[in-house]
Amino acid sequence: MVSHQFEGAQILSQLQCSGMVSVLDLMQGGFPSRALFHELYNMYQKYMPPKLTRLDPRLFCKALFKALGLNENDYKFGLTRVFFRPGKFAEFDQIMKSDPDHLAELVKKVNTWLIHSRWKKVQWCALSVIKLKNKILYRTNACINMQKTVRMWLCKKKHKPRIDGLVKVRNLKKRMARFNEVVAGLKEGKQEMSKKIQELEDAIDTLMVKIKNTVMSRIDIDHEYRALVSRSEQLLTDMQNKKKEEEERERLKRIQEEMERERKRREEEEQRRKQEEEERRL
């Protein structure tokens, strides 16, 4: 090893072993330079016209970088400061301290970018308001549909037993025509049976009015309906039995009439026979 003489291979090997190359690669890929927004603002506001110096420090820095045409990969914005890749901050500082003509062009670009930025914000705000309006309308319609569905379910739960009860009671009333047919075939007790049928029809009409005008539970409706059904079945059974009794009486009456005719026929034959015998004796 000789003084003031360097061997490149050995030095590179020492730098690699000490991690210097990795540090440099990290610095090259990272953002080693950083500056606070208000520091940049205070540093360069003297080069800007009053119109731009009134901007917020963060917006001021953003407008400058956009106007300078810096690559977005060369810097990143944080919460309170901006980060630069190696060498980019010096390049930025050199551009800012250039001649006045270039600075005037820069101010013009900044104004253009601000107008574009504000117009984009206006567009975004308009679209956001439209989306918000559509969302409010959608949620309003959804609330209406939900309320409609819930109200429909509540009404169905409340009135479905009454509707079913009315349908059953009306079907029972339609069966009353059969009762009238049976009564029409009776020869005795028509008035009594017609009165019972009318009472049953009045009870059915009363139950229908009660179901329509009052809120009745399914249990109450079924209880009264079964009572009417039992009453109608009992009435029908009574009428059928009465009709059978009449038919039986009619049958017995016909038998009795036939027996009476037979008796008269025999008496007449006996009288004829006696008369013939008397005529022979004479």
Side-chain angles (χ1 to χ4, degrees):
M1 183 176 293
V2 181
S3 176
H4 300 292
Q5 290 184 1
F6 297 93
E7 296 181 3
Q10 291 183 357
I11 293 173
L12 181 60
S13 176
Q14 290 177 358
L15 292 175
Q16 288 176 346
C17 292
S18 63
M20 182 60 68
V21 176
S22 299
V23 172
L24 294 177
D25 290 338
L26 181 62
M27 292 180 65
Q28 184 67 25
F31 299 86
S33 302
R34 64 196 66 184
L36 294 171
F37 292 134
H38 68 273
E39 290 181 356
L40 293 176
Y41 179 78
N42 294 331
M43 186 180 302
Y44 298 108
Q45 67 174 346
K46 60 185 177 181
Y47 299 103
M48 297 287 105
K51 181 179 179 180
L52 298 182
T53 56
R54 293 195 299 268
L55 297 175
D56 178 73
R58 180 185 177 89
L59 182 60
F60 176 82
C61 296
K62 192 172 183 179
L64 282 180
F65 295 164
K66 291 291 184 180
L68 291 173
L70 296 179
N71 191 348
E72 293 184 357
N73 295 325
D74 294 337
Y75 64 91
K76 295 293 179 183
F77 279 92
L79 295 177
T80 59
R81 63 190 68 198
V82 59
F83 300 84
F84 296 92
R85 288 194 183 276
K88 296 301 178 181
F89 182 75
E91 181 180 348
F92 167 72
D93 185 66
Q94 184 178 1
I95 293 173
M96 291 300 300
K97 295 180 179 179
S98 59
D99 58 286
D101 294 336
H102 183 270
L103 190 61
E105 184 68 22
L106 178 61
V107 171
K108 184 178 179 180
K109 290 181 179 180
V110 169
N111 288 328
T112 303
W113 182 86
L114 285 174
I115 293 172
H116 289 172
S117 177
R118 289 169 180 171
W119 174 244
K120 288 180 181 179
K121 287 181 180 179
V122 170
Q123 289 178 327
W124 183 85
C125 290
L127 291 175
S128 299
V129 170
I130 293 172
K131 288 183 178 179
L132 180 60
K133 182 200 74 172
N134 293 335
K135 184 178 289 186
I136 292 173
L137 292 176
Y138 170 78
R139 291 186 176 181
T140 302
N141 293 331
C143 289
I144 293 173
N145 291 331
M146 290 172 62
Q147 292 175 359
K148 178 180 70 175
T149 304
V150 171
R151 288 176 180 173
M152 179 190 68
W153 182 81
L154 291 175
C155 290
K156 183 178 179 181
K157 182 180 178 182
K158 180 179 180 181
H159 300 294
K160 185 67 163 57
R162 300 169 63 197
I163 296 173
D164 294 340
L166 278 175
V167 172
K168 292 190 293 185
V169 174
R170 284 176 180 172
N171 292 333
L172 179 61
K173 188 173 182 180
K174 291 179 182 178
R175 291 167 53 189
M176 298 304 295
R178 183 181 176 187
F179 290 73
N180 295 325
E181 293 176 359
V182 176
V183 171
L186 295 176
K187 294 182 179 180
E188 297 179 0
K190 280 187 178 182
Q191 186 175 2
E192 181 184 357
M193 288 300 172
S194 298
K195 183 178 180 182
K196 290 183 179 180
I197 291 174
Q198 186 62 39
E199 290 176 355
L200 181 59
E201 289 182 349
D202 293 340
I204 292 174
D205 293 336
T206 302
L207 179 58
M208 292 176 64
V209 172
K210 185 178 180 182
I211 292 173
K212 290 179 181 179
N213 297 332
T214 60
V215 180
M216 298 179 65
S217 65
R218 186 182 295 273
I219 297 175
D220 296 335
I221 295 174
D222 290 342
H223 177 71
E224 297 198 18
Y225 172 74
R226 283 194 296 268
L228 289 176
V229 170
S230 301
R231 185 175 170 183
S232 64
E233 290 177 352
Q234 183 63 37
L235 180 58
L236 181 60
T237 303
D238 293 341
M239 288 189 296
Q240 290 175 346
N241 292 335
K242 196 170 187 62
K243 188 173 180 61
K244 288 179 181 179
E245 290 176 0
E246 289 183 354
E247 291 175 352
E248 184 66 21
R249 283 197 298 270
E250 287 289 332
R251 188 178 66 82
L252 293 175
K253 185 178 179 180
R254 286 194 300 269
I255 293 173
Q256 187 177 2
E257 289 176 352
E258 289 176 359
M259 290 174 67
E260 185 67 24
R261 285 195 300 269
E262 183 68 22
R263 185 181 64 79
K264 288 180 179 181
R265 186 181 62 79
R266 288 178 182 179
E267 288 179 355
E268 290 176 355
E269 288 180 354
E270 184 67 24
Q271 288 178 358
R272 232 180 3 257
R273 187 179 61 78
K274 287 180 180 180
Q275 187 176 1
E276 288 176 355
E277 287 178 356
E278 290 178 355
E279 290 178 354
R280 285 195 203 99
R281 288 175 186 174
L282 295 175

